[in-house]
Amino acid sequence: MAPFPTIHLSFAEQAARRPDKPLFELPGGRSVTYRETARTVRRIAARLVADGVRPGDRVAMQVEKSPEAIALYLATLQVGGVFLPLNTAYTGAEMEYFVQDAGPRVLVVAPERLADHAHRADARLTVETLGTSGDGSLLDGEGEHAQVHAAEAGDPAAILYTSGTTGRSKGAVLSHGNLASNCAALVESWRFTEDDRLIHALPVFHVHGLFVAANMVLTTGASMHYLTKFDAGTVLGLMPRSTVLMGVPTFYTRLLAAEELTPASCASMRLFVSGSAPLLASDHEAFEARTGHAILERYGMTETGMNTTNPYEGGPRKPGTVGKALPGTRVRVVDAGTGKPLPDGEVGSIEVHGPNVFTGYWQMPEKTASEFREDGFFITGDLGRIDEDGYLRIVGRGKDLVISGGLNVYPKEVEEALDAHPEVLESAVIGVPHPDFGETVVAVVVPAVAGGRPEESELLAFVAPALARFKHPRAVRVVESLPRNVMGKVQKAELRKRYDGLFTGPDA
Ligand code: MLC
Ligand code: AMP
């Protein structure tokens, strides 16, 4: 029987077929070919094996974006390891939790952060370094490991942490089958081919940048302009030499603010994709009016990869909708309480079933069980309805979550950090509209002593060691008490209404 075609095997096949083709086009004109990447993958694989990585072992990475970071991902899959990418913005306290919880065999960090992590090294954990200019201990050896671990579809390939509405972050375990099937469905749906040149300006530690964008390039033999971060001017400059852009809504808001965005600047582009957060219908319409391109919006999440997409062809790309289920995936809207499917048009809980849906939360069987229905559908926590054309519209979230610039912030985590301050009795953290990030974090704080006035700067400095920068409140409001319902539950909807115009209103 042929081995299961993992992302690694599909990449290796492309590398054998087109060794001299550039895979990464880097700022400054340097490129890295498929052959060079395949060699780096084998070198890193040798290092991982020497470090004791065996099938099933976790390999954690917190490094800046580089071609070698992608090679580390592929090498981990090659040796049967489980890849655990971590946001570079995470603080020491956040990293401590992930490392303790996941128990990786190897932790790869940026050379300049080695001192922060060296103490973690022991008989069970090796700390390696990887820089952005081909430096770092991970690349020290010249030896190559060519043997490929024959993974099965159900074997774990990656763990991605997603915070919880209660308690600590959960590691979503994604299998080789999850990654490969979702990638194939997207390649087919978006007609992605070896002729594509993708503008890759997303981070590579989340589903969007890694399992959507990078996987599609790696498995089709395409090329990518590989940028360390999103910059509207740089992206506009690359568009005449590119075919596809994948981004979060903030990318499009920022592009719309640039005069250079014209039909001519998009002449060679065939597809603009948006996801990870809601794209304003008005931005969709403005973009089409300016460029002639209807942005294709799709919907996904860490636990499921991509679920739905607007059509590439054969139907309109409707603003404010996320389209229909991808091939092989089923999506339904049900009554959250009973689990019974609702008629089209009614708002309910969005649930998903298919080969894209993760295998469970790392070492949390009860939590996993509680988020699946008996018939195997996963409860996403999003609320939506199916419209008259059969398209899914996301209308809200059942989970208490803020999405800022495509990054998830769980209010609970921020509230816990604030509540630990001696001058704070309690706090409620909400998301309010923001012109750049879509939504941003606002903290409403009750002082420990009536009439007290905890300083905003003091509170922010206090939470900084605990929380990555993108989770920090962008405004703090001190109130006498929080609005509560008869059950005593904080009415966040009321707070959201009260502070709705903080960043977008007339006085913003
Ligand atoms: C950066 N900052 C943010 C932020 N990104 N703050 C809140 N939310 C964010 N998303 C901070 C910086 O630390 C900085 O802090 C300040 O804001 C301004 O930074 P910037 O230079 O303007 O930010 P920039 O680097 O341009 O980043 C903005 C961004 C980036 C939107 C381009 O955050 C981004 O690439 N987001 C995409 C995240 C992503 O990949 N999501 C997909 C998850 S997968 P200071 O200290 O200077 O004030 C998923 C599933 C799915 O959701 O469906 O895809
Ligand atoms: P994450 O856990 O980071 O993967 O974030 C997943 C969440 O992002 C989903 O559960 C949705 O709430 C949200 N999301 C992703 N894509 C979209 C979209 N196109 N429109 C609205 N929300 C989205």
Side-chain angles (χ1 to χ4, degrees):
M1 210 173 69
F4 179 77
T6 60
I7 296 293
H8 169 269
L9 278 180
S10 300
F11 158 75
E13 197 185 305
Q14 294 298 345
R17 200 181 292 171
R18 56 189 100 247
D20 297 317
K21 180 170 177 176
L23 165 53
F24 299 97
E25 308 258 19
L26 302 173
R30 191 168 81 85
S31 63
V32 182
T33 63
Y34 271 84
R35 186 203 312 276
E36 289 164 331
T37 306
R39 177 158 180 268
T40 308
V41 173
R42 291 192 300 272
R43 283 174 61 205
I44 296 178
R47 186 81 181 192
L48 295 179
V49 170
D51 286 340
V53 175
R54 301 290 174 262
D57 285 347
R58 277 77 58 212
V59 174
M61 164 187 105
Q62 189 193 35
V63 300
E64 298 301 331
K65 190 173 171 182
S66 69
E68 290 78 15
I70 296 289
L72 170 57
Y73 158 55
L74 291 167
T76 303
L77 300 192
Q78 180 190 331
V79 303
V82 182
F83 189 56
L84 169 47
L86 293 158
N87 194 327
T88 45
Y90 288 144
T91 63
E94 288 165 317
M95 286 296 288
E96 183 64 25
Y97 172 75
F98 297 128
V99 172
Q100 288 303 325
D101 191 60
R105 186 72 195 76
V106 173
L107 168 65
V108 184
V109 298
E112 60 277 13
R113 293 191 69 174
L114 179 60
D116 301 337
H117 296 284
H119 70 279
R120 302 188 198 283
D122 62 19
R124 288 159 297 155
L125 171 68
T126 304
V127 179
E128 297 276 13
T129 58
L130 179 65
T132 51
S133 46
D135 54 324
S137 62
L138 196 66
L139 298 164
D140 272 352
E142 284 300 315
E144 295 183 25
H145 180 85
Q147 198 186 330
V148 179
H149 172 74
E152 309 267 342
D155 289 346
I159 297 180
L160 268 72
Y161 274 87
T162 131
S163 301
T165 42
T166 53
R168 309 307 303 258
S169 294
K170 305 161 287 183
V173 183
L174 293 156
S175 68
H176 286 277
N178 292 150
L179 303 189
S181 68
N182 207 224
C183 180
L186 294 172
V187 165
E188 179 193 330
S189 300
W190 299 345
R191 313 286 187 268
F192 203 85
T193 73
E194 63 184 274
D195 296 327
D196 275 310
R197 283 184 314 284
L198 172 79
I199 301 178
H200 193 303
L202 288 160
V204 291
F205 37 70
H206 292 301
V207 163
H208 199 165
L210 191 58
F211 300 147
V212 180
N215 276 358
M216 290 174 73
V217 172
L218 296 168
T219 60
T220 53
S223 301
M224 54 185 154
H225 292 292
Y226 193 68
L227 306 172
T228 48
K229 65 171 281 184
F230 177 83
D231 173 76
T234 309
V235 167
L236 283 158
L238 287 170
M239 279 190 343
R241 291 182 282 131
S242 310
T243 61
V244 179
L245 173 68
M246 295 179 194
V248 295
T250 300
F251 283 22
Y252 295 101
T253 319
R254 292 185 182 181
L255 285 174
L256 277 165
E259 271 173 24
E260 302 89 325
L261 183 75
T262 59
S265 67
C266 302
S268 79
M269 294 293 287
R270 70 170 185 87
L271 180 61
F272 292 90
V273 178
S274 178
S276 308
L279 177 71
L280 289 175
S282 54
D283 278 354
H284 180 118
E285 282 151 9
F287 198 89
E288 187 163 11
R290 280 274 290 283
T291 66
H293 284 272
I295 298 170
L296 181 153
E297 187 168 4
R298 83 335 173 251
Y299 160 57
M301 61 191 299
T302 301
E303 288 91 335
T304 63
M306 299 304 104
N307 298 313
T308 70
T309 179
N310 268 278
Y312 183 73
E313 56 201 358
R317 297 179 195 161
K318 291 175 59 173
T321 78
V322 293
K324 299 183 182 181
L326 283 165
T329 296
R330 285 186 288 157
V331 173
R332 69 185 184 193
V333 173
V334 306
D335 179 289
T338 63
K340 290 233 167 61
L342 292 170
D344 287 358
E346 284 189 30
V347 173
S349 155
I350 302 173
E351 302 188 349
V352 187
H353 187 281
N356 55 315
V357 177
F358 76 139
T359 56
Y361 294 111
W362 173 250
Q363 291 181 337
M364 288 187 179
E366 282 163 18
K367 184 75 197 154
T368 304
S370 71
E371 302 211 0
F372 280 88
R373 298 275 180 200
E374 266 173 19
D375 59 0
F377 273 76
F378 174 64
I379 305 165
T380 62
D382 292 311
L383 304 176
R385 68 180 167 86
I386 307 287
D387 78 4
E388 59 287 0
D389 298 317
Y391 286 46
L392 180 65
R393 281 179 188 268
I394 299 175
V395 301
R397 297 176 202 130
K399 50 195 173 193
D400 192 13
L401 162 70
V402 181
I403 306 184
S404 166
L407 291 172
N408 288 8
V409 182
Y410 281 86
K412 179 86 183 157
E413 202 183 351
V414 185
E415 287 159 6
E416 278 176 4
L418 286 166
D419 293 353
H421 192 281
E423 286 183 57
V424 175
L425 177 67
E426 60 173 351
S427 61
V429 166
I430 52 169
V432 304
H434 188 273
D436 186 35
F437 291 133
E439 248 180 352
T440 197
V441 179
V442 169
V444 186
V445 169
V446 179
V449 181
R453 284 263 137 211
E455 282 289 324
E456 175 163 341
S457 57
E458 156 68 22
L459 292 181
L460 294 181
F462 180 77
V463 300
L467 301 173
R469 172 77 181 109
F470 68 88
K471 300 177 187 172
H472 295 189
R474 297 278 159 164
V476 178
R477 290 290 176 269
V478 178
V479 296
E480 269 174 36
S481 62
L482 297 173
R484 292 194 135 86
N485 66 13
V486 284
M487 308 291 290
K489 193 170 180 279
V490 175
Q491 290 179 299
K492 291 205 167 176
E494 159 64 26
L495 289 175
R496 278 191 287 267
K497 214 187 295 163
R498 198 185 296 173
Y499 297 109
D500 182 71
L502 215 48
F503 294 93
T504 50
D507 303 327

